[in-house]
Amino acid sequence: MQAFLITFCISAMDLECASQETVKQGLLARGWPPFKGFSKHVKTKVLEFFSHLIKLGQDDPRRVVHSLKAGLALTLVSLFYYYQPLYKSFGVSAMWAVITVVVVFEFSVGATLGKGVNRGLATLLAGGLAVGAHQLANLSGRIGEPIVLGIFVFLQAAVSTFVRFCPQIKARYDYGLLIFILTFSLISISGFRDDEVLELVHKRLLTVLIGGSTCVIISVLVFPVWAGQDLHNLIASNMEKLGIFLEGFGDEYFKMTEDGKSKEDRPFLQGYKGVLDSKTNEDALANFARWEPRHGRFQFRHPWKQYLKIGALTRKCAYRIESLNGHLYADIQAKREIRSKIQETCTTMSMESGKALKELSMAIKTMVKPFAADIHIENSKSSVKNLDTLLKSGLWDDETDLLEVVPVATVASLLIDVVTCTAEIAESVNELATMLKFEVVEPTVSPEKPETGQPKIGIS
């Protein structure tokens, strides 16, 4: 009987252990798939992140160089903390050199120089005024000193903050005013508890100058990135994008859709979209370029405002092109016979305007006067004259549905506006060429003029 009970107990224990093992395996089986899916998701996200970083470096290798330059500048100023003799000279104030490098070092020379000058002058001016305020506050005694300092802090913060609303000041000196408010307040408050206010100002100013000069020297001497050069290239590139669109628009719009090809497969028709949102970038680059010293073909007082004028006219033309692009994908299209009657003149307007914009772009890139562009503009104006003659001659009969004519007439009107915009851009580029004395190079082969028999007229 005892043997039977012992055997029964052992069997029960084995069964219980097997049951627990089964439960554990079941829980593991139910928990593993979600964990595996989460692990795979994290791995995918990490790979996407690193792929994005690699693409950023490939798109513009200067970003990689800038990152290395920032690391070099930060390492150099950190020596004030690591090297004992330097640390004894500056103490904890050496940290301001590190902070200056972090906030001042920017991608382009102009941005770095602008921030460095703003920070240096603001620190100098705020430090001097703070010392003066501290001396005046001492004359009022221990009771009146915090009151006088509070009044000075309030006045400078209120006035400086209000001045920051001025657009001209905000564009170039907003960072300097911000540092002025911060430095004046910190020195005033620190001076109330520390009698060595002159030493505090001296160390603060010196460390800021060391950090700022380190940023400027590395930015200028080590693979410099010039904001002026970037703005110059951006303006030329934007005009080229518009020219590429216009050269292909005529064939795309008037081509018969029975060929079975989708117009949405034409990537060159989408390049102009970046021009529509380029204003912020152009304004920032022009602001940074004003701080840069003479480099290459760009002098200190380079006419950057003229670049902004050309950029504004280019965007104006891009808005017309945006409307033209909308007609490419419109659900309601004019019939073949209606479009064919103005196909030649409209295609010529589009093609010649595109060629003119590409010539103007090349003229800016090479700083050569755009003689060929003027001929292309005259050709496009001649096509406008021909279109006007066609319309006045009764192009469509009385039986033509006006609703079918409206889309084609709208496209023709937009192309006329594009020709006008192109002429305005050419005029501004010629003004820039005169200011900078672009090189005069006569074209070896002149573009052909259309044989229309119509006199050339301007477009007002």
Side-chain angles (χ1 to χ4, degrees):
M1 186 65 179
Q2 290 180 347
F4 174 76
L5 290 174
I6 292 173
T7 303
F8 177 78
C9 290
I10 293 175
S11 300
M13 292 175 62
D14 292 340
L15 184 61
E16 184 178 357
C17 291
S19 178
Q20 291 179 356
E21 187 68 24
T22 303
V23 172
K24 289 180 180 179
Q25 290 178 357
L27 292 175
L28 186 61
R30 287 194 299 270
W32 175 249
F35 176 77
K36 185 178 181 181
F38 175 75
S39 176
K40 185 177 181 181
H41 176 72
V42 172
K43 181 180 179 180
T44 302
K45 289 297 182 181
V46 171
L47 291 176
E48 289 179 356
F49 174 73
F50 281 103
S51 298
H52 181 66
L53 290 182
I54 293 173
K55 187 176 184 301
L56 283 176
Q58 291 174 343
D59 291 343
D60 192 350
R62 298 181 304 173
R63 294 169 179 166
V64 179
V65 177
H66 172 72
S67 302
L68 298 176
K69 289 161 59 178
L72 175 61
L74 197 56
T75 302
L76 289 177
V77 297
S78 297
L79 294 176
F80 287 92
Y81 243 70
Y82 299 146
Y83 192 54
Q84 189 64 23
L86 293 177
Y87 181 79
K88 288 182 179 179
S89 301
F90 294 97
V92 181
S93 296
M95 184 59 68
W96 285 101
V98 177
I99 296 175
T100 300
V101 170
V102 173
V103 299
V104 167
F105 203 90
E106 293 288 344
F107 184 70
S108 66
V109 174
T112 302
L113 191 59
K115 267 196 168 184
V117 171
N118 268 275
R119 189 176 180 88
L121 292 179
T123 303
L124 177 63
L125 183 59
L129 292 178
V131 171
H134 181 71
Q135 296 299 324
L136 290 176
N138 282 336
L139 300 178
S140 59
R142 297 299 298 176
I143 298 177
E145 183 179 0
I147 299 175
V148 174
L149 284 176
I151 292 174
F152 282 132
V153 170
F154 170 80
L155 289 176
Q156 67 86 21
V159 173
S160 300
T161 302
F162 183 77
V163 171
R164 290 178 65 193
F165 287 109
C166 180
Q168 293 82 1
I169 299 297
K170 190 174 185 65
R172 301 195 67 184
Y173 306 107
D174 185 68
Y175 178 73
L177 286 171
L178 188 65
I179 295 301
F180 176 83
I181 297 172
L182 177 64
T183 303
F184 185 93
S185 302
L186 289 178
I187 293 178
S188 298
I189 295 172
S190 301
F192 179 67
R193 297 294 182 183
D194 188 358
D195 293 333
E196 302 296 332
V197 64
L198 286 177
E199 182 180 356
L200 176 67
V201 173
H202 175 261
K203 289 183 177 179
R204 176 74 56 81
L205 178 60
L206 193 57
T207 52
V208 167
L209 290 177
I210 290 173
S213 60
T214 301
C215 294
V216 172
I217 291 172
I218 292 178
S219 181
V220 172
L221 298 182
V222 182
F223 298 102
V225 176
W226 302 103
Q229 182 70 54
D230 286 349
L231 177 62
H232 182 87
N233 295 335
L234 177 62
I235 296 298
S237 175
N238 286 345
M239 282 193 289
E240 185 178 13
K241 291 175 182 177
L242 301 189
I244 291 173
F245 177 93
L246 290 173
E247 279 189 331
F249 173 78
D251 291 336
E252 287 295 316
Y253 181 75
F254 292 100
K255 184 178 60 179
M256 305 313 165
T257 57
E258 287 80 3
D259 59 1
K261 294 182 180 179
S262 173
K263 293 173 183 175
E264 296 178 356
D265 295 331
R266 308 293 193 271
F268 68 88
L269 293 175
Q270 307 301 322
Y272 75 92
K273 291 184 180 292
V275 183
L276 300 173
D277 302 322
S278 62
K279 185 180 187 307
T280 302
N281 194 18
E282 290 174 6
D283 290 342
L285 289 175
N287 182 36
F288 298 150
R290 294 189 184 103
W291 292 100
E292 293 178 345
R294 180 174 180 174
H295 57 280
R297 295 175 294 181
F298 305 97
Q299 302 180 6
F300 181 71
R301 300 188 64 84
H302 203 72
W304 301 117
K305 289 185 178 180
Q306 187 65 20
Y307 282 87
L308 295 180
K309 180 181 177 181
I310 296 173
L313 292 173
T314 304
R315 281 190 302 278
K316 178 182 175 183
C317 185
Y319 291 133
R320 271 64 174 181
I321 288 177
E322 172 76 357
S323 299
L324 286 173
N325 188 56
H327 285 277
L328 279 177
Y329 307 111
D331 295 332
I332 301 176
Q333 297 286 352
K335 292 181 179 180
R336 179 186 307 178
E337 56 271 15
I338 294 178
R339 285 190 288 178
S340 62
K341 293 182 180 180
I342 61 171
Q343 176 176 353
E344 183 178 354
T345 54
C346 287
T347 301
T348 302
M349 281 192 291
S350 179
M351 182 68 69
E352 292 295 330
S353 297
K355 289 181 179 179
L357 287 172
K358 292 180 72 173
E359 288 290 343
L360 293 171
S361 172
M362 184 57 62
I364 291 180
K365 287 180 180 179
T366 58
M367 288 193 169
V368 174
K369 287 197 172 182
F371 291 109
D374 296 335
I375 299 176
H376 289 302
I377 291 174
E378 288 300 318
N379 292 345
S380 62
K381 290 180 179 180
S382 178
S383 297
V384 173
K385 172 71 175 183
N386 294 340
L387 178 62
D388 182 61
T389 303
L390 283 173
L391 295 176
K392 289 180 179 179
S393 64
L395 190 59
W396 295 289
D397 53 42
D398 296 336
E399 297 180 357
T400 304
D401 188 356
L402 291 179
L403 293 178
E404 295 179 351
V405 176
V406 168
V408 177
T410 304
V411 169
S413 177
L414 288 171
L415 285 174
I416 293 174
D417 286 343
V418 167
V419 172
T420 304
C421 291
T422 304
E424 292 175 351
I425 294 173
E427 183 179 353
S428 296
V429 173
N430 285 323
E431 291 178 5
L432 180 66
T434 302
M435 293 177 182
L436 300 179
K437 298 178 180 180
F438 279 8
E439 185 181 357
V440 178
V441 178
E442 294 291 342
T444 55
V445 179
S446 299
E448 295 182 358
K449 298 183 179 181
E451 298 179 0
T452 59
Q454 299 292 344
K456 303 290 188 299
I457 63 169
I459 300 177
S460 58

